[in-house]
Amino acid sequence: MNSQSSQTMGQQSGRRSWAEPWKIKVVEPLTMTTREERKKALVEAGYNTFLLRSEDVYIDLLTDSGTSAMSDRQWAGMMLGDEAYAGSRNFYHLEAAIQKYYGYKYIVPTHQGRGAEHLISRTVIKPGQLIPGNMYFTTTRLHQELSGGIFHDVIIDEAHDPNSLHPFKGNIDLDKVQALIDQHGAKQIAYISVAGTVNMAGGQPVSMANVRALRALCQKHGIKVYLDATRMMENAYFIQQREEGYADRSIAQILREFCSYTDAAWMSAKKDNLVNIGGWLAVNDWDLFEELRNLVVVYEGLHTYGGLAGRDLEALAIGIEESAQDQHIRSRIGQVLYLGELLSQWGIPIVQPIGGHAIFLDARAFYPHLKQIEFPAQTLAAELYLDSGIRSMERGIASAGRDATTGDHYYPKLELTRLTIPRRVYTQAHMDVVAESVKAVYDARQSVRGLKMVYEPKYLRFFQARFEPL
Ligand code: PM9
């Protein structure tokens, strides 16, 4: 044995890896297609990965939303669904789980996140009011706008730079919030919209110090802080790993503290909470609760099911408990890091630091020869699918949509293609295959042309828009 390989062996024997805290009980076969078949499918889908049939996809990294694998306990819980129209026991299990892990007092279930966004936006936004937030999210901003609100981005500047290594790129810039208060007055601000982690910034976390300081500022001016808790478990992990004073605190403890600095939360339970469908609202104020509880019966269903079956409520209650386990979050984010570090080692441009739920490829750096209006991130998603059948999602100009008042395209600084990792679904070997395909697409980057949009729906255009090659 030469000295180099014995050294490597030595390092390896001292190594301590993470591994998934579960084993596989049921498997679902994947389909593999030829390049010709993928080309045909892509043309039929108008070069939009949302319009592909999942049967034509090999490794599906479109989203982490509703795509997680449920545990045997969750599936067992489904059999305990109490499908009573009113007062299902599963609702009370869910209520207790949210109260225990997130700490809010009153709960309203909804069919998914945007159902919750719809209700809270209609209830608390008066036309013309501003909603400062740490970067827009597509459905969140749309519901705020449909209620007459005007979104203002108050995230720190570093969030718009894919290469900035700031450990909490999701943080709110308190000076930007203060400037809005000074200019418009606190009454003109409906609430502060805080998301943890920040999806469109690359799954970047908010620090505890930041939300605590935001809370103090808002209390001074009588402004509410509302949390998009969709990926807060993952945010809690980054606080544990990166923020002084939290290394010995559990994910559950960190989550409770973070939520305690906010007045209410909405949730797409399809992410962190490990279910295929579901959402909720949770608030501390009784009057707000009463309004939401009344509105939910108009748009979603009775206040004890909110558009969900009893079995879904049970799976969700169990999912919350499982998602707050330190070992779960460590392996979940460990897998994202594994893929990101592989790509970084190969010099492939991705958003840094690596975030919680996905790797975001920097499509501007991939295709510097493409203008933003030639949809570089959409192009990259199409190229990746052609290469290997891996499905990703555009998070650039197509997702950003148009300014509601001027009708002009938004030109976001970040032009990204998202490789989103479903929870408890794929193995490390899948991640290797993904990394190798990204590398192949990167190596062939110079010959790539962009796309033009040939069909554009009015709302959330990225879901259904169609494209053609230039
Ligand atoms: N996020 C995602 O893939 C689902 C499709 S893209 C609109 O990232 C946040 C931070 C989200 C989110 C959905 C929602 C809406 C709210 N906030 O999809 O309606 O990431 O359950 O949640 C998606 P629902």
Side-chain angles (χ1 to χ4, degrees), residues 63 112-114 117 137 139 199 228 231 268 271 418 463:
T63 178
Q112 63 181 85
R114 70 199 74 175
E117 291 171 338
F137 184 70
T139 57
N199 193 348
D228 181 337
R231 297 184 183 86
S268 170
K271 282 79 166 177
R418 191 181 73 174
F463 281 132

Side-chain angles (χ1 to χ4, degrees), residues 91 94-95 98-99 102 104-124 226-229 263-269 278-284 288-289 291-293 295-296 300 303 316:
F91 167 74
L94 173 63
E95 186 182 51
I98 297 171
Q99 287 166 341
Y102 293 86
Y104 302 103
K105 287 189 195 149
Y106 311 115
I107 315 304
V108 177
T110 60
H111 79 282
Q112 63 181 85
R114 70 199 74 175
E117 291 171 338
H118 174 214
L119 300 186
I120 190 110
S121 301
R122 280 183 86 107
T123 309
V124 299
Y226 294 160
L227 175 67
D228 181 337
D263 298 284
W266 68 85
M267 179 75 183
S268 170
W280 46 263
L281 281 158
V283 306
N284 287 329
L288 176 57
F289 171 60
E291 283 192 58
L292 293 167
R293 187 173 62 163
L295 210 55
V296 76
E300 302 276 315
H303 56 277
L316 175 47

Side-chain angles (χ1 to χ4, degrees), residues 102 104 112-114 116-117 120 133-141 144 191-200 204 206 211 225-235 255 258-259 262-269 271-272 280-282:
Y102 293 86
Y104 302 103
Q112 63 181 85
R114 70 199 74 175
E117 291 171 338
I120 190 110
N134 52 348
M135 201 174 270
Y136 86 99
F137 184 70
T138 53
T139 57
T140 318
R141 184 179 65 193
Q144 290 163 348
Y191 59 92
I192 311 284
S193 183
V194 184
T197 56
V198 181
N199 193 348
M200 304 300 279
Q204 302 296 330
V206 179
V211 74
V225 178
Y226 294 160
L227 175 67
D228 181 337
T230 296
R231 297 184 183 86
M232 253 322 293
M233 298 285 183
E234 294 169 4
N235 200 106
L255 179 70
F258 197 103
C259 293
T262 69
D263 298 284
W266 68 85
M267 179 75 183
S268 170
K271 282 79 166 177
D272 257 1
W280 46 263
L281 281 158

Side-chain angles (χ1 to χ4, degrees), residues 8 27 38 55 97 108 126 146 156 174 185 206 236-237 257 261 286 300 331 335 346-347 397 405 426:
T8 313
V27 296
R38 292 196 288 276
E55 273 177 353
V108 177
K126 294 194 195 82
L146 290 174
I156 56 171
L174 299 185
V206 179
Y237 180 76
E257 183 184 339
Y261 301 126
W286 174 262
E300 302 276 315
S331 80
Q335 191 179 41
W346 294 344
I397 184 170
T405 37
Y426 292 114

